[in-house]
Coordinates of all heavy atoms in Angstrom, one line a residue:
A283 N 0.8 -1.2 0.0 CA 0.0 0.0 0.0 C 0.9 1.3 0.0 O 2.0 1.2 0.4 CB -0.9 0.0 1.2
S284 N 0.2 2.4 -0.4 CA 0.9 3.6 -0.5 C 0.4 4.7 0.4 O 1.0 5.7 0.6 CB 0.9 4.2 -1.9 OG 1.5 3.3 -2.8
L285 N -0.8 4.5 1.0 CA -1.5 5.4 1.9 C -2.1 4.6 3.0 O -2.8 3.6 2.8 CB -2.5 6.3 1.2 CG -3.2 7.3 2.1 CD1 -2.3 8.4 2.6 CD2 -4.4 8.0 1.3
H286 N -1.8 4.9 4.3 CA -2.1 4.1 5.4 C -3.0 4.9 6.4 O -2.6 5.9 6.9 CB -0.8 3.6 6.1 CG 0.2 3.0 5.1 ND1 0.2 1.7 4.8 CD2 1.2 3.6 4.4 CE1 1.1 1.5 3.9 NE2 1.8 2.6 3.7
L287 N -4.1 4.3 6.8 CA -5.0 4.9 7.8 C -5.1 4.0 8.9 O -5.7 2.9 8.9 CB -6.4 5.1 7.1 CG -6.4 5.8 5.8 CD1 -7.9 6.0 5.3 CD2 -5.7 7.2 5.8
T288 N -4.4 4.3 10.0 CA -4.2 3.4 11.2 C -5.2 3.8 12.3 O -5.7 4.9 12.4 CB -2.8 3.4 11.7 OG1 -2.5 4.7 12.3 CG2 -1.8 3.2 10.6
A289 N -5.4 2.8 13.2 CA -6.5 3.0 14.2 C -6.0 3.7 15.5 O -6.7 4.1 16.3 CB -7.1 1.7 14.5
T290 N -4.7 3.7 15.7 CA -4.1 4.3 16.9 C -2.7 4.9 16.5 O -2.1 4.5 15.5 CB -3.9 3.3 18.1 OG1 -2.8 2.5 17.8 CG2 -5.1 2.5 18.4
E291 N -2.2 5.7 17.4 CA -0.9 6.3 17.2 C 0.2 5.2 17.3 O 1.2 5.3 16.6 CB -0.6 7.5 18.1 CG 0.7 8.2 17.9 CD 0.9 8.8 16.6 OE1 -0.2 9.2 16.0 OE2 2.0 9.0 16.1
T292 N 0.0 4.3 18.2 CA 1.0 3.2 18.3 C 1.1 2.4 17.0 O 2.2 2.1 16.5 CB 0.6 2.2 19.4 OG1 0.6 2.9 20.7 CG2 1.5 1.0 19.4
Y293 N -0.1 2.2 16.4 CA 0.0 1.5 15.1 C 0.6 2.3 14.0 O 1.2 1.8 13.1 CB -1.5 1.0 14.7 CG -2.1 0.0 15.7 CD1 -3.5 -0.1 15.8 CD2 -1.3 -0.8 16.5 CE1 -4.0 -1.0 16.6 CE2 -1.8 -1.7 17.3 CZ -3.2 -1.8 17.4 OH -3.8 -2.7 18.3
R294 N 0.3 3.6 14.0 CA 0.9 4.5 13.1 C 2.5 4.4 13.1 O 3.1 4.3 12.1 CB 0.5 6.0 13.3 CG 1.2 7.0 12.4 CD 0.7 8.4 12.6 NE 1.4 9.3 11.7 CZ 2.5 9.9 11.9 NH1 3.1 9.7 13.1 NH2 3.1 10.7 11.1
R295 N 3.0 4.5 14.3 CA 4.5 4.4 14.5 C 5.0 3.1 14.0 O 6.1 3.0 13.4 CB 4.8 4.6 16.0 CG 4.6 6.1 16.4 CD 5.3 6.3 17.8 NE 4.9 5.5 18.8 CZ 3.9 5.7 19.7 NH1 3.2 6.9 19.6 NH2 3.5 4.9 20.6
R296 N 4.2 2.0 14.2 CA 4.6 0.7 13.8 C 4.7 0.6 12.2 O 5.7 0.0 11.7 CB 3.7 -0.4 14.3 CG 4.2 -1.8 14.2 CD 3.3 -2.7 14.9 NE 3.4 -2.6 16.3 CZ 2.4 -2.9 17.2 NH1 1.2 -3.2 16.8 NH2 2.7 -2.8 18.5
V297 N 3.8 1.2 11.6 CA 3.8 1.2 10.1 C 5.0 2.0 9.6 O 5.7 1.6 8.6 CB 2.5 1.8 9.5 CG1 2.6 2.0 8.0 CG2 1.3 0.8 9.8
I298 N 5.3 3.1 10.2 CA 6.5 3.9 9.9 C 7.7 3.1 10.1 O 8.7 3.1 9.3 CB 6.5 5.2 10.7 CG1 5.3 6.1 10.2 CG2 7.8 6.0 10.4 CD1 5.1 7.3 11.1
A299 N 7.8 2.3 11.2 CA 8.9 1.5 11.5 C 9.1 0.4 10.4 O 10.2 -0.1 10.2 CB 8.8 0.8 12.8
M300 N 8.1 0.1 9.6 CA 8.2 -0.9 8.5 C 8.7 -0.2 7.3 O 8.8 -0.9 6.2 CB 6.8 -1.5 8.3 CG 6.3 -2.4 9.4 SD 4.6 -2.9 9.2 CE 4.8 -4.0 7.8
G301 N 9.1 1.1 7.3 CA 9.7 1.8 6.2 C 8.7 2.6 5.4 O 9.1 3.2 4.4
E302 N 7.5 2.8 5.9 CA 6.5 3.7 5.2 C 6.8 5.2 5.5 O 7.1 5.5 6.7 CB 5.1 3.3 5.5 CG 4.8 1.8 5.1 CD 5.0 1.5 3.6 OE1 4.3 2.2 2.8 OE2 5.9 0.7 3.3
E303 N 6.6 6.0 4.5 CA 6.8 7.4 4.7 C 5.9 8.1 5.7 O 4.6 7.9 5.6 CB 6.7 8.1 3.4 CG 7.7 7.7 2.3 CD 7.6 8.4 1.0 OE1 7.7 9.6 1.0 OE2 7.3 7.7 0.0
P304 N 6.3 8.8 6.7 CA 5.4 9.3 7.8 C 4.3 10.1 7.2 O 3.2 10.1 7.8 CB 6.4 10.1 8.6 CG 7.7 9.5 8.4 CD 7.8 9.0 7.0
G305 N 4.5 10.9 6.2 CA 3.4 11.8 5.7 C 2.3 11.0 5.0 O 1.2 11.5 4.8
R306 N 2.5 9.7 4.8 CA 1.5 8.9 4.2 C 0.9 7.9 5.2 O 0.1 7.0 4.8 CB 2.1 8.1 3.0 CG 2.6 8.9 1.8 CD 2.9 8.0 0.7 NE 3.5 8.8 -0.4 CZ 3.9 8.2 -1.6 NH1 3.7 6.9 -1.7 NH2 4.3 8.9 -2.6
V307 N 1.2 8.1 6.4 CA 0.6 7.2 7.5 C -0.1 8.1 8.5 O 0.5 9.0 9.1 CB 1.7 6.5 8.2 CG1 1.1 5.4 9.2 CG2 2.7 5.8 7.3
I308 N -1.4 7.9 8.6 CA -2.3 8.9 9.3 C -3.1 8.1 10.3 O -3.8 7.1 10.1 CB -3.3 9.5 8.3 CG1 -2.5 10.3 7.2 CG2 -4.2 10.5 9.0 CD1 -3.3 10.7 6.0
N309 N -3.0 8.6 11.6 CA -3.8 8.0 12.7 C -5.2 8.6 12.6 O -5.5 9.7 12.8 CB -3.2 8.4 14.0 CG -4.1 8.0 15.2 OD1 -5.0 7.2 15.1 ND2 -3.8 8.6 16.3
T310 N -6.2 7.7 12.2 CA -7.6 8.1 12.0 C -8.5 7.7 13.2 O -9.6 8.2 13.3 CB -8.2 7.5 10.8 OG1 -8.2 6.1 10.9 CG2 -7.3 7.9 9.5
G311 N -8.0 6.8 14.1 CA -8.9 6.1 15.0 C -9.6 5.0 14.2 O -9.5 4.9 13.0
A312 N -10.3 4.1 14.9 CA -11.0 3.0 14.3 C -12.4 3.4 13.7 O -13.2 3.9 14.5 CB -11.1 1.8 15.3
I313 N -12.6 3.0 12.5 CA -13.9 3.4 11.9 C -15.1 2.6 12.6 O -16.2 3.1 12.6 CB -13.9 3.1 10.4 CG1 -15.2 3.7 9.7 CG2 -13.7 1.7 10.1 CD1 -15.3 5.2 9.8
G314 N -14.8 1.4 13.1 CA -15.9 0.7 13.8 C -16.4 1.4 15.0 O -17.6 1.4 15.3
V315 N -15.5 2.1 15.7 CA -15.9 2.8 16.9 C -16.7 4.0 16.5 O -17.8 4.3 17.1 CB -14.7 3.3 17.7 CG1 -15.1 4.1 18.9 CG2 -13.9 2.1 18.2
Y316 N -16.3 4.7 15.4 CA -17.1 5.8 14.9 C -18.5 5.3 14.5 O -19.5 6.0 14.8 CB -16.4 6.4 13.6 CG -17.2 7.5 13.0 CD1 -17.0 8.8 13.3 CD2 -18.2 7.2 12.1 CE1 -17.7 9.8 12.8 CE2 -18.9 8.2 11.5 CZ -18.7 9.6 11.8 OH -19.4 10.6 11.3
N317 N -18.6 4.1 13.9 CA -19.9 3.6 13.5 C -20.9 3.4 14.7 O -22.0 3.8 14.7 CB -19.8 2.3 12.8 CG -19.1 2.4 11.4 OD1 -18.9 3.5 10.9 ND2 -18.7 1.3 10.9
I318 N -20.3 2.9 15.8 CA -21.1 2.6 17.0 C -21.7 3.9 17.5 O -22.9 4.0 17.9 CB -20.2 2.0 18.1 CG1 -20.0 0.5 17.8 CG2 -20.9 2.1 19.4 CD1 -19.1 -0.2 18.7
L319 N -20.9 5.0 17.5 CA -21.4 6.2 18.1 C -22.2 7.1 17.1 O -22.8 8.1 17.6 CB -20.1 7.0 18.5 CG -19.2 6.3 19.5 CD1 -18.0 7.2 19.8 CD2 -19.9 6.0 20.8
H320 N -22.3 6.7 15.9 CA -23.1 7.5 14.9 C -24.2 6.7 14.1 O -24.7 7.3 13.2 CB -22.1 8.1 13.9 CG -21.2 9.1 14.5 ND1 -20.0 8.8 15.1 CD2 -21.2 10.5 14.6 CE1 -19.4 9.8 15.6 NE2 -20.1 10.9 15.3
T321 N -24.5 5.5 14.5 CA -25.5 4.7 13.9 C -26.8 4.7 14.7 O -26.7 4.3 15.9 CB -25.0 3.3 13.6 OG1 -23.8 3.3 12.8 CG2 -26.1 2.5 12.9
P322 N -27.9 5.1 14.2 CA -29.2 5.0 14.9 C -29.5 3.5 15.1 O -29.5 2.8 14.1 CB -30.2 5.7 14.0 CG -29.4 6.6 13.1 CD -28.1 5.9 12.9
L323 N -29.7 3.1 16.3 CA -29.8 1.6 16.6 C -31.3 1.2 16.7 O -32.2 2.1 17.0 CB -29.0 1.3 17.8 CG -27.5 1.6 17.8 CD1 -26.8 1.3 19.1 CD2 -26.8 1.0 16.6
L324 N -31.5 -0.1 16.6 CA -32.9 -0.6 16.8 C -33.2 -0.5 18.3 O -32.4 -0.6 19.2 CB -32.9 -2.0 16.4 CG -32.6 -2.3 14.9 CD1 -32.6 -3.8 14.6 CD2 -33.7 -1.7 14.0
S325 N -34.5 -0.5 18.6 CA -35.0 -0.6 20.0 C -34.9 -2.0 20.4 O -34.7 -2.9 19.6 CB -36.4 -0.1 20.1 OG -37.3 -1.0 19.4
R326 N -34.9 -2.2 21.7 CA -34.9 -3.6 22.3 C -36.0 -4.4 21.7 O -35.8 -5.6 21.3 CB -35.0 -3.5 23.8 CG -34.9 -4.9 24.4 CD -35.2 -4.8 25.9 NE -34.2 -4.0 26.6 CZ -33.1 -4.6 27.2 NH1 -32.9 -5.9 27.1 NH2 -32.3 -3.8 27.9
E327 N -37.2 -3.8 21.5 CA -38.3 -4.6 21.0 C -38.1 -5.0 19.6 O -38.4 -6.1 19.2 CB -39.6 -3.8 21.2 CG -40.0 -3.5 22.6 CD -39.1 -2.5 23.4 OE1 -38.5 -1.7 22.7 OE2 -39.1 -2.6 24.6
E328 N -37.6 -4.0 18.8 CA -37.4 -4.3 17.4 C -36.3 -5.4 17.2 O -36.5 -6.3 16.4 CB -36.9 -3.0 16.6 CG -38.0 -2.0 16.5 CD -37.4 -0.7 16.0 OE1 -36.3 -0.3 16.4 OE2 -38.1 0.0 15.2

């Protein structure tokens, strides 16, 4: 890959340690966590 979107800063540093250019490695947080906090959920009954 040429552009890296990592879930934590620790993982960002690990990708850079693998030889990837720092400007192309971005700590975004995990998209699954974002989904939990931004998805309208079903009611218990539904």
Side-chain angles (χ1 to χ4, degrees):
S284 299
L285 182 63
H286 310 272
L287 310 180
T288 69
T290 72
E291 183 61 27
T292 296
Y293 297 157
R294 177 180 179 271
R295 292 195 299 269
R296 191 173 287 151
V297 169
I298 294 169
M300 293 173 67
E302 298 302 298
E303 297 179 61
R306 296 187 183 183
V307 189
I308 302 166
N309 172 19
T310 64
I313 188 62
V315 177
Y316 178 93
N317 293 347
I318 284 177
L319 302 178
H320 293 84
T321 301
L323 303 179
L324 299 174
S325 68
R326 182 188 294 269
E327 293 73 23
E328 290 171 323

